[in-house]
């Protein structure tokens, strides 16, 4: 019976919903519940291992078990099937009353129940795998008492710290079983290592929520991997789960589909390991960041307790260092490293293991859910590290070299949904650090990407990725620029109902309105946005959020989270005399008007002030919209200009005059209209610390006649009334104040990215933040998920190129597209730049040094095989190292005792060896 007030004594009645651990601790201890906790734990009260009231084994009983239930449960026997008739005489109750209580006990998760010969039979199990999972898989109870999840977690923490070094390989309560395709070529494989073997030998199947992830969610520590329909029960366990409503019955075929879906979503498999050799009653689909079994390996650095019989092995010749396996490894056993030889190698450090070492807190990794690393301390390939989206560049280059263009495109789209756009406007950070550039010229990475993307654009059947889930929660995105569109894409892949609100009538943000067509044709942008429409993203153009509809009104319409990505759509003024005259406009406004198709004509002399890429675009556009003479003036010297070198060259070829080291002093106005600009000589732009701090020679000035002045000296955010009343905070520079990892604003359901957060940057920077925004929103809208727990920090870093041996490489010319004649490009808004031919792509991809490689920490590898499913080059495989089949529960103690004695001998031997080693030194 459940109480409506908090009972003073545990066990007399069930407490009200929402009881906390603190409230349990305030209650008077129930001796009967304490007896039951010790019974399930198979220890006696009064001994050194007894369960006391401070332990989670006792506390977890308080919300779900009364003293009356405990009286009956005390007569259950471990794995021995008993009926109510068997138990009733022992507890002094009628058969009917005993049956009722046994059923309540089973529903609570404190006994298994099956039907034999027309009668229910009951038995008890061990805590894990067993009662803990059964308890939290009661959805009604865990919703009423979230503390159950917290106590399951606490049990694992209490027990896990004592396990390292105590068990040989494969003797833990749970054990990893490889993804079956990862051992297809292994001649030594056995049926007990195959998922299909267990499924084909079972007769009854059920599926339930993942118990570990349920527990995590119950106390706000979910990792983003959702729990629903993830764990499969077999035979007697399936019957129990179906009978008590914990799971639903499924067919064998459905079980195989669940396994497949789990593998596709980056999950691995574990099985209860104490049912006897080659036997199990469940198959769990686990993630390294949520699973309590995996925690035994990851948190306490004790993988022997959970590992399969296999270890991952990398063929360095085949590996290209794309990083797909690294990011999907559940135990962080894989990291990217350097393939090229070093001039001076780092000394190898011998790895300590629990096998022969005392294993205390100094050897643990308590923060394993937040400190995962993707690269060795010595670094890996510079291109992947430098790319803001950390695309697997060497991966798609290798795929392109093999003619596998669709797979190359898929790999790019894991991190960047708009490769055709970026193939035209990317700043090529990757090429600036390419190791090949230290030999001759960098790989034409961007041109290769453009070829792959254009190949797909020209295909009759476009690549539309399959949705991974169908979460269907409504999400609002404000701004249809690269950040907003990227966020929409990745949310749509997970089946969210995404609506993008855009103030302008055209989609694409600054891609469409801020970049001229001669650099980025509108049909290219629209073709890539079309993929989002096919994924179900809804676009509402001409809607200004804040003015036409407020964020609060959208909340009331059912939107559960918001992503603000309005970009830096306003141009900055200079703050000088005369800038409010007719004929003076910002370059951003000028480009927007041209791109929207307005009738823009510039005649006479046009002065463009600024030296960045936008200023170049403004100047070239000005030269195309009227019979005008265009000059650029910028503070920086030619070498200091922020514009890309190739864009400067294109401007010069179109007869744009560039005047370096001149800053505007005032704009000369006559009758309210611009007449000219007075400039002053700029001596230096940056101070000794490298900060922007121009110094002028005020005595050296000149006046330049002008009919139009276009200011391209920076961009700014225009929030209008969008943020009024929202509580969202801004930085002094008018960008949004957000968490640096999650991009959550000061209002919990509002996230942001792109230029609105960083200030003006490139499209690829915004695209990268869009994906991170999608990750955060996914976690936020699913209750119980933490925004950072288990979240990968993609902190890639490059190796030291000064320590690389680049001798012996032949010089190979970089493949280039035909040069565009400035006289021809000056007369058109079409993009005349070509794309590499397929033959050129083959030649260019051959120049890649493949300087990164995956490195396996064989000790931490648990042999799940997830890495092999992500590798497109058969570079990583599983190799059989052990031959363990599982154990009977009653055999466990003797196996562990023998191992502990041998370990003590090894530790003693190591200690003596270390003493002699020190003496020799």
């Amino acid at each position: 019976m459940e109480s409506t007030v908090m009972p003073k004594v545990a066990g007399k009645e069930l407490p009200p919903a929402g009881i906390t651990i603190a409230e349990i601790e305030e209650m008077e201890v129930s001796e009967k519940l304490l007896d039951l906790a010790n019974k399930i734990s198979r220890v006696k009260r009064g001994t050194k291992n007894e369960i006391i009231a401070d332990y989670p084994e006792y506390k977890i009983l308080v919300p779900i078990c009364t003293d009356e239930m405990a009286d009956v449960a005390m007569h259950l026997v471990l794995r021995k099937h008993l009926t109510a008739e068997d138990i009733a005489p022992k507890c002094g109750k009628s058969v009917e009353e005993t049956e009722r209580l046994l059923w309540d006990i089973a529903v609570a998760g404190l006994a298994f129940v099956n039907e034999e010969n027309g009668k229910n039979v009951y038995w008890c199990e061990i805590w894990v795998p067993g009662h803990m999972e059964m308890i939290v898989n009661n959805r009604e109870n865990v919703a009423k008492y979230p503390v159950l999840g917290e106590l399951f977690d606490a049990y694992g923490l209490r027990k896990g710290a004592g396990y390292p070094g105590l068990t040989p390989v494969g003797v833990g309560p749970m054990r990893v079983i490889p993804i079956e395709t990862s051992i297809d070529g292994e001649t030594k494989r056995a049926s007990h290592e195959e998922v299909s073997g267990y499924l084909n030998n079972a007769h009854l199947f059920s599926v339930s929520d993942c118990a570990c992830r349920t527990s995590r969610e119950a106390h706000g520590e979910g990792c983003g991997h959702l729990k629903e329909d993830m764990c499969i029960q077999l035979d007697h366990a399936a019957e129990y789960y179906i009978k008590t409503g914990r799971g639903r019955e499924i067919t064998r075929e459905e079980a195989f589909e669940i396994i497949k879906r789990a593998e596709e979503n980056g999950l691995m498999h574990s099985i209860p390991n104490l049912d006897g050799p080659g036997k199990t009653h469940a198959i769990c689909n686990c993630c390294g960041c949520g699973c309590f079994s995996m925690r035994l390996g990851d948190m306490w650095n004790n993988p022997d307790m959970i590992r399969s019989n296999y270890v991952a092995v990398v063929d360095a010749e085949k590996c290209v260092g794309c990083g797909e396996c690294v990011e999907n490894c559940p135990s962080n056993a894989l990291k990217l490293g350097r393939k090229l030889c070093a001039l001076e190698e780092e000394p190898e450090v011998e790895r300590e293991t629990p096998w022969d070492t005392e294993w205390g807190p100094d050897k643990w990794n308590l923060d394993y859910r937040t400190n995962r690393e993707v690269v060795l301390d010595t670094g890996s390939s510079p291109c992947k590290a430098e790319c803001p989206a950390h695309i697997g560049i060497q991966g798609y280059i290798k795929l392109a070299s093999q003619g596998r263009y669709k797979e190359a495109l898929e790999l790019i789209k894991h991190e960047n949904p708009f490769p055709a756009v970026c193939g035209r406007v990317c700043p090529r950070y990757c090429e600036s650090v390419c190791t090949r550039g230290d030999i001759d010229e960098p790989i034409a990475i961007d041109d290769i990407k453009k070829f792959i993307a254009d190949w797909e654009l020209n295909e009759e059947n476009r690549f539309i990725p399959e949705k991974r889930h169908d979460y269907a929660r409504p999400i609002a995105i404000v701004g249809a620029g690269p950040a907003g569109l990227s966020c929409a894409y990745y949310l749509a892949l997970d089946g969210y109902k995404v609506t993008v609100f855009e103030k302008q009538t055209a989609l694409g943000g600054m891609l469409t309105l801020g970049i001229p067509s001669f650099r980025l044709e509108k049909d290219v942008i629209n073709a890539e946005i079309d993929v989002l429409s096919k994924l179900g993203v809804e676009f509402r153009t001409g809607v200004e959020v804040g003015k036409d509809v407020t964020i609060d009104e959208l909340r009331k319409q059912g939107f559960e989270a918001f992503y603000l990505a309005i970009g830096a759509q306003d141009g900055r003024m200079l703050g000088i005399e005369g800038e409010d005259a007719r004929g003076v406009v910002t370059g951003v406004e000028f480009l927007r008007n041209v791109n929207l198709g307005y009738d823009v004509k510039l005649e006479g002399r046009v002065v463009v002030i600024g030296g960045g890429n936008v200023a170049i675009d403004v100047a070239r556009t000005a030269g195309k919209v009227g019979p005008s003479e265009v000059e650029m003036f910028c503070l920086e010297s030619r070498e200091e200009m922020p514009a890309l070198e190739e864009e400067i060259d294109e401007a010069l070829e179109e007869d744009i005059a560039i005047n370096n080291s001149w800053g505007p002093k005032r704009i000369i106005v006559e009758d309210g209209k611009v007449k000219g600009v007075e400039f002053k000589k700029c001596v230096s732009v940056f101070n000794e610390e490298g900060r922007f701090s121009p110094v002028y020679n005020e005595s050296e000035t000149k006046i330049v006649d002008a009919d139009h002045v276009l200011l391209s000296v920076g961009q700014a955010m225009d929030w209008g009334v969008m943020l009024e009343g929202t509580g969202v905070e801004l930085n002094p520079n008018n960008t949004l104040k957000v968490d640096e990892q999650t991009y959550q604003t000061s209002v919990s359901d509002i996230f942001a990215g792109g230029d609105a957060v960083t200030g003006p940057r490139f499209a690829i920077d915004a695209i990268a933040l869009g994906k991170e925004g999608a990750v955060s929103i996914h976690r936020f809208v699913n209750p119980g998920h933490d925004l950072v727990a288990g979240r990968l920090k993609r902190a890639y870093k490059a190796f030291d190129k000064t320590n690389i041996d680049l001798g012996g490489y032949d010089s190979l010319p970089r493949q280039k597209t035909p040069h565009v004649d400035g006289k021809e490009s000056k007369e058109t808004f079409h993009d005349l730049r070509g794309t590499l031919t397929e033959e050129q792509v083959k030649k260019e991809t051959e120049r890649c040094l493949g300087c990164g490689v995956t490195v396996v920490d064989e000790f931490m590898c648990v042999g799940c095989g997830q890495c092999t499913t992500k590798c497109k080059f058969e570079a990583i495989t599983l190799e059989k190292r052990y031959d363990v089949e599982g154990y009977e529960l009653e055999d466990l103690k003797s196996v562990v005792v023998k191992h502990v004695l041998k370990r003590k001998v090894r530790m003693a031997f190591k200690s003596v060896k270390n003493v002699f080693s020190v003496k020799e030194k």
Side-chain angles (χ1 to χ4, degrees):
M1 178 181 172
E2 182 187 334
S3 175
T4 56
V5 295
M6 194 64 62
K8 294 182 179 180
V9 182
K12 298 300 181 185
E13 54 189 335
L14 298 182
I19 188 173
T20 65
I21 288 179
E23 289 170 332
I24 291 173
E25 291 171 344
E26 289 175 1
M27 298 170 69
E28 186 178 323
V29 174
S30 164
E31 295 298 325
K32 291 185 177 182
L33 295 187
L34 202 51
D35 286 339
L36 181 58
N38 278 274
K39 174 185 172 60
I40 296 173
S41 302
R42 296 181 295 150
V43 295
K44 293 182 178 180
R45 295 189 66 176
T47 63
K48 69 172 185 176
N49 293 323
E50 76 167 316
I51 304 302
I52 61 176
D54 285 340
Y55 289 178
E57 293 94 317
Y58 165 78
K59 293 175 183 176
I60 203 168
L61 298 179
V62 174
I64 60 172
C65 187
T66 63
D67 284 351
E68 189 179 27
M69 293 166 65
D71 278 336
V72 175
M74 285 296 293
H75 298 285
L76 292 168
V77 179
L78 179 66
R79 297 186 178 180
K80 183 178 181 181
H81 298 192
L82 299 173
T83 64
E85 287 87 345
D86 296 324
I87 295 174
K90 299 176 183 178
C91 60
K93 299 181 185 296
S94 68
V95 172
E96 292 76 14
E97 181 67 5
T98 303
E99 181 70 52
R100 181 185 68 79
L101 289 168
L102 282 169
W103 176 254
D104 289 345
I105 290 164
V107 170
L110 299 175
F112 265 112
V113 58
N114 277 190
E115 186 176 316
E116 293 178 3
N117 301 318
K119 293 184 178 181
N120 285 339
V121 292
Y122 301 87
W123 69 96
C124 66
E125 258 297 340
I126 58 176
W127 282 116
V128 172
H131 292 302
M132 287 290 176
E133 289 91 343
M134 293 155 67
I135 289 168
V136 300
N137 274 137
N138 182 316
R139 291 180 178 178
E140 183 179 339
N141 272 353
V142 84
K144 185 185 296 182
Y145 304 118
V147 71
L148 297 175
E150 191 174 354
L151 289 165
F152 181 15
D153 187 4
Y155 171 82
L157 290 171
R158 188 181 87 77
K159 299 289 286 186
Y163 287 141
L166 298 186
T167 60
V169 170
V171 185
M174 298 286 294
R175 187 158 177 242
V176 172
I177 182 171
I179 290 172
E180 197 159 327
T181 56
S182 69
I183 56 173
D184 276 349
E186 174 59 62
T187 57
K188 298 177 183 178
R189 62 189 279 187
S191 60
H192 61 265
E193 297 164 340
E194 299 171 348
V195 171
S196 64
Y198 293 105
L199 292 181
N200 287 329
N201 288 330
H203 302 287
L204 184 64
F205 309 87
S206 67
V207 64
S208 72
D209 295 346
C210 169
C212 297
R213 297 199 284 279
T214 296
S215 173
R216 296 279 197 190
E217 284 184 27
H219 61 292
E221 292 190 1
C223 60
H225 291 102
L226 299 195
K227 64 184 184 298
E228 287 75 16
D229 282 1
M230 272 293 117
C231 290
I232 298 169
Q233 296 79 38
L234 310 175
D235 294 332
H236 78 266
E239 182 180 342
Y240 166 74
Y241 268 66
I242 296 165
K243 202 176 185 73
T244 61
R246 282 167 166 73
R248 60 181 177 86
E249 184 174 358
I250 57 172
T251 64
R252 180 180 284 109
E253 290 71 27
E254 287 176 298
F256 275 109
E257 280 300 313
I258 290 167
I259 293 292
K260 179 184 176 184
R261 187 174 73 246
E263 293 172 1
E264 289 173 348
N265 281 278
L267 303 179
M268 32 114 26
H269 314 305
S270 293
I271 58 173
N273 193 44
L274 300 177
D275 291 352
K279 299 177 182 178
T280 194
H281 64 268
I283 300 173
C284 301
N285 295 310
C286 311
C287 61
C289 41
C291 175
F292 292 149
S293 174
M294 285 296 295
R295 178 168 65 184
L296 294 170
D298 296 342
M299 186 176 202
W300 287 287
N301 286 324
N302 184 33
D304 280 352
M305 193 170 185
I306 57 171
R307 71 167 74 252
S308 77
N309 287 327
Y310 294 83
V311 170
V313 177
V314 171
D315 183 336
E317 289 300 313
K318 293 181 179 179
C319 180
V320 299
C322 67
E324 291 296 296
C325 60
V326 171
E327 296 199 4
N328 284 277
C329 176
S331 61
N332 203 199
L334 306 180
K335 295 183 179 68
L336 284 184
R338 182 194 66 235
K339 186 187 291 188
L340 301 179
C341 294
L343 297 173
E344 189 175 323
E345 293 287 356
E346 292 276 336
E348 287 191 21
V349 179
E350 186 177 351
R351 175 91 188 231
E352 287 188 315
T353 73
W355 186 253
D356 59 1
T357 306
E358 286 286 355
W359 213 249
D362 60 314
K363 304 291 194 298
W364 302 344
N365 181 13
L366 299 181
D367 297 324
Y368 78 99
R369 300 183 81 206
T370 55
N371 66 6
R372 283 173 57 96
E373 297 177 344
V374 291
V375 66
L376 296 177
D377 290 341
T378 49
S380 188
S381 53
C383 58
K384 186 175 180 72
E386 196 69 14
C387 173
H390 303 299
I391 300 170
I393 292 169
Q394 292 178 99
Y396 75 71
I397 287 177
K398 185 68 173 179
L399 289 167
S401 75
Q402 298 171 347
R404 297 160 65 185
Y405 304 127
K406 182 178 179 181
E407 292 174 83
L409 184 83
E410 287 183 62
L411 183 57
I412 295 169
K413 287 201 169 190
H414 284 177
E415 314 301 340
N416 177 5
F418 311 117
V421 167
C422 287
R424 290 158 170 82
V425 299
C426 191
R428 306 182 181 186
Y429 297 131
C430 52
E431 293 186 23
S432 69
V433 295
C434 175
T435 310
R436 182 82 209 190
D438 290 20
I439 299 172
D440 37 49
E441 289 185 89
I443 304 296
I445 297 170
D446 207 44
D447 284 330
I448 295 170
K449 178 171 66 208
K450 182 181 177 184
F451 171 86
I452 295 166
D454 284 8
W455 171 87
E456 191 261 347
L457 288 180
N458 295 326
E459 284 287 284
E460 288 185 8
N461 297 312
R462 298 288 308 282
F463 168 65
I464 310 297
E466 290 186 15
K467 292 186 180 182
R468 298 178 295 220
H469 303 284
D470 187 20
Y471 297 138
R473 294 172 180 270
I475 311 295
I477 292 176
V478 183
L485 293 173
S486 173
C487 186
Y489 176 87
Y490 291 109
L491 286 171
L493 282 184
D494 277 335
Y496 286 100
K497 188 178 178 182
V498 182
T499 303
V500 179
F501 296 88
E502 170 55 51
K503 181 171 72 172
Q504 301 293 340
T505 56
L507 299 173
M510 294 300 284
L511 296 176
T512 301
L513 303 178
I515 301 177
S517 294
F518 55 78
R519 288 190 59 224
L520 180 57
E521 297 270 17
K522 303 305 177 256
D523 59 349
V524 172
I525 305 171
N526 293 333
E528 298 211 294
I529 293 176
D530 184 56
V531 174
L532 276 72
S533 297
K534 287 183 167 60
L535 286 171
V537 175
E538 179 185 350
F539 294 99
R540 297 186 192 175
T541 56
V543 178
E544 184 175 350
V545 174
K547 180 180 178 183
D548 300 319
V549 62
T550 67
I551 287 176
D552 195 46
E553 287 170 340
L554 291 173
R555 280 195 191 99
K556 292 173 183 175
Q557 292 176 23
F559 289 98
E560 297 186 20
F562 303 85
Y563 188 71
L564 306 186
I566 66 166
Q569 73 278 47
D570 268 15
R572 291 188 184 277
M573 303 302 284
L574 289 166
I576 61 174
E577 177 189 336
E579 66 179 17
D580 56 349
R582 294 195 312 277
V584 180
V585 297
T586 65
V588 170
E589 181 184 352
F590 168 69
L591 288 176
R592 181 164 55 240
N593 291 337
V594 172
N595 283 318
L596 284 171
Y598 297 162
D599 185 20
V600 179
K601 295 290 185 184
L602 298 183
E603 297 183 357
R605 292 196 70 180
V606 178
V607 169
V608 177
I609 299 176
N613 291 312
V614 176
I616 296 285
D617 288 344
V618 169
R620 292 180 66 193
T621 302
K624 299 173 192 288
V625 297
S628 55
E629 179 186 342
V630 183
E631 283 191 86
M632 289 179 63
F633 289 82
C634 62
L635 295 173
E636 300 88 355
S637 66
R638 173 64 187 273
E639 294 74 24
E640 294 171 324
M641 285 180 70
L644 296 176
E645 188 66 31
E646 65 188 71
E647 295 204 31
I648 297 172
D649 290 341
E650 288 168 348
L652 292 172
E653 288 204 18
E654 292 186 7
D655 300 323
I656 308 294
I658 300 177
N659 299 272
N660 296 102
S661 302
W662 288 98
K665 185 175 182 179
R666 67 187 176 102
I667 293 174
I668 301 168
V669 182
E670 187 176 291
D671 296 328
K673 187 181 184 309
V674 62
K675 187 70 175 176
V677 183
E678 183 178 4
F679 289 94
K680 53 187 174 181
K681 190 68 174 177
C682 181
V683 179
S684 64
V685 178
F686 303 102
N687 61 21
E688 292 180 357
E689 288 79 33
R691 295 181 180 177
F692 183 77
S693 181
V695 177
Y696 299 99
N697 180 355
E698 299 285 349
S699 63
E700 188 176 353
T701 64
K702 68 176 179 179
I703 293 176
V704 178
D705 293 337
D707 298 293
H708 301 276
V709 176
L710 305 178
L711 305 178
S712 188
V713 292
Q715 293 161 241
M717 278 58 67
D718 177 13
W719 292 105
V721 295
M722 182 192 301
L723 303 180
E724 288 183 9
T726 63
V728 172
E729 297 178 8
L730 294 173
N731 292 307
N733 66 353
N734 218 30
T735 57
L736 287 166
K737 194 176 287 186
V738 298
D739 180 271
E740 63 180 15
Q741 184 180 1
T742 67
Y743 300 96
Q744 187 178 42
T745 69
S746 49
V747 178
S748 64
D749 64 349
I750 300 179
F751 299 79
D755 291 355
V757 167
T758 62
R761 290 193 186 174
F762 291 97
I764 188 63
D765 297 280
I767 287 166
L769 294 196
K771 183 176 183 182
E772 291 299 322
V775 171
S776 291
I777 289 172
H778 163 69
R779 288 166 173 256
F780 174 79
V781 298
N782 287 284
H785 286 268
D786 187 87
L787 294 186
V788 298
R791 185 171 184 152
L792 190 69
K793 292 180 181 176
R794 307 180 76 220
Y796 289 99
K797 63 179 181 181
F799 50 62
D800 178 7
K801 288 203 284 184
T802 64
N803 190 35
I804 298 298
D805 183 4
L806 294 177
Y809 289 99
D810 293 332
S811 179
L812 296 172
R814 173 176 167 135
Q815 298 297 306
K816 298 179 181 178
T817 57
H819 175 71
V820 177
D821 188 337
K823 291 184 176 60
E824 187 179 354
S825 65
K826 184 179 180 179
E827 302 301 324
T828 181
F829 272 97
H830 289 299
D831 185 357
L832 301 181
R833 296 170 297 171
T835 302
L836 294 177
T837 65
E838 188 167 15
E839 182 181 354
Q840 284 181 300
V841 168
K842 298 288 189 214
K843 290 180 179 179
E844 187 61 18
T845 55
E846 289 173 2
R847 298 179 63 240
C848 180
L849 302 178
C851 49
V853 70
T854 294
V855 179
V856 181
D857 180 343
E858 293 192 2
F859 170 66
M860 287 304 298
C861 174
V862 296
C864 70
Q866 180 58 230
C867 53
T868 68
T869 71
K870 303 302 177 184
C871 183
K872 297 180 180 295
F873 307 102
E874 298 182 347
I876 190 163
T877 55
L878 292 191
E879 186 176 282
K880 191 164 185 176
R881 297 284 179 84
Y882 311 98
D883 191 17
V884 181
E885 197 173 345
Y887 289 86
E888 294 283 1
L889 181 60
E890 53 266 30
D891 296 334
L892 190 62
K893 185 174 181 179
S894 63
V895 173
V896 170
V897 169
K898 289 177 184 177
H899 176 77
V900 169
L901 292 174
K902 290 179 181 178
R903 179 174 180 251
K904 287 182 177 179
V905 172
R906 287 192 296 270
M907 289 168 63
F909 177 77
K910 181 180 178 181
S911 178
V912 172
K913 183 180 176 182
N914 288 341
V915 169
F916 280 105
S917 176
V918 170
K919 286 182 177 180
E920 287 176 4
K921 289 180 181 178

